[in-house]
Amino acid sequence: MWDPAQYLAFADHRGRPFYELVARVGAESPRRVVDVGCGPGNLTLSLASRWPSAVVEAFDSSSEMVEAARAAGVEARVDDVTTWEPLPDTDVVVSNAVLQWVASHPSIVSKWATSLPAGAWLAFQVPGNYSDPSHRLIREVAGPSLAHVFRAEKPVLDPVEYAELLAGCSSVDAWETTYVQRLSGPDPVLEWVTGTALRPVRAALSSSDWEAYVAELAPRLREAYPERADGTTWFPFRRIFVVAQV
């Protein structure tokens, strides 16, 4: 289950990659713009503002996120990224930090690229920090008994691999950025991963086992990401971006 409030706790940090991704989309007057995995809808609203004449289609697999998006004024629906297909008038498809949850996403992205009309834009970004201490420690503390809840150790491709995947498009722009994020508050890295990477672990554990897990994980994260004298914590976060025009 997704918790929109937990996810939005770092809205500024989570939103920055979205804006930098969409800034590379060159569509001027798209007919239909689709937000694949719209989450709580706060970023979807910016798509409607940029392209006011477009039909903005938004969906997410989480009913909790869709409910939050609707409350924010987005006409969102529950749908599955693995079965969704773009309508013939779809000129822009945006997916922000969603495809890493879908093991088959490389083939899905290829299918979208061949289904979209000529000149349409496909833009997505995914986290690329799966070898970093945050994710490594999550797995170590979970141990073999919870190995089944995790995706592959590297659930995303590298920029060159995504560029090759979409090499048949008229243009492909693939890059990576490491954001050195300044977090604040007690155990900020734990709070960050609780809203995303720790969701499968939380779902698999009872309340007491979850409390024991967090009690072991928290000090390890504090050691890996030490608090500065002013109470803030640096958290490097690598992101992978792809923008293609078909």
Side-chain angles (χ1 to χ4, degrees), residues 5-244:
Q6 179 75 44
Y7 187 83
L8 288 170
F10 297 96
D12 289 345
H13 292 299
R14 298 194 196 280
R16 181 180 172 187
F18 173 88
Y19 293 115
E20 295 183 4
L21 173 73
V22 175
R24 298 291 295 170
V25 176
E28 294 183 1
S29 300
R31 295 165 294 174
R32 179 179 298 270
V33 176
V34 184
D35 189 354
V36 175
C38 63
N42 57 310
L43 299 175
T44 312
L45 293 171
S46 70
L47 299 177
S49 296
R50 177 175 172 180
W51 294 296
S53 64
V55 173
V56 176
E57 178 183 342
F59 69 88
D60 200 284
S61 63
S62 164
S63 58
E64 294 81 14
M65 287 293 197
V66 167
E67 182 178 352
R70 289 174 177 169
V74 176
E75 293 185 12
R77 70 178 190 276
V78 175
D79 207 340
D80 187 342
V81 67
T82 64
T83 57
W84 174 80
E85 295 182 359
L87 292 173
D89 64 345
T90 302
D91 291 325
V92 176
V93 174
V94 177
S95 180
N96 184 60
V98 172
L99 295 177
Q100 73 274 10
W101 297 102
V102 184
S104 60
H105 79 264
S107 63
I108 292 172
V109 166
S110 295
K111 183 180 178 182
W112 290 348
T114 59
S115 301
L116 290 168
W121 293 82
L122 171 60
F124 61 90
Q125 70 91 5
V126 292
N129 62 332
Y130 294 98
S131 62
D132 287 359
S134 55
H135 284 64
R136 188 176 69 250
L137 291 171
I138 287 172
R139 290 176 178 272
E140 288 180 4
V141 175
S145 63
L146 287 176
H148 65 283
V149 307
F150 297 105
R151 296 155 286 155
E153 289 192 20
K154 185 190 172 187
V156 299
L157 306 182
D158 286 329
V160 172
E161 293 174 308
Y162 282 122
E164 181 61 30
L165 183 70
L166 296 171
C169 294
S170 63
S171 68
V172 182
D173 186 8
W175 73 98
E176 64 180 77
T177 298
T178 297
Y179 297 94
V180 181
Q181 299 169 334
R182 195 170 198 164
L183 307 183
S184 59
D187 291 320
V189 176
L190 176 64
E191 288 297 311
W192 177 281
V193 296
T194 296
T196 53
L198 280 178
R199 286 181 51 252
V201 178
R202 180 65 186 92
L205 296 177
S206 65
S207 296
S208 59
D209 287 342
W210 168 248
E211 291 176 4
Y213 175 86
V214 169
E216 183 175 352
L217 178 63
R220 297 196 188 192
L221 288 175
R222 286 195 293 269
E223 181 179 2
Y225 302 94
E227 184 179 82
R228 302 176 65 252
D230 66 357
T232 63
T233 301
W234 295 122
F235 182 48
F237 200 117
R238 176 179 175 244
R239 296 277 185 166
I240 299 168
F241 301 77
V242 182
V243 176

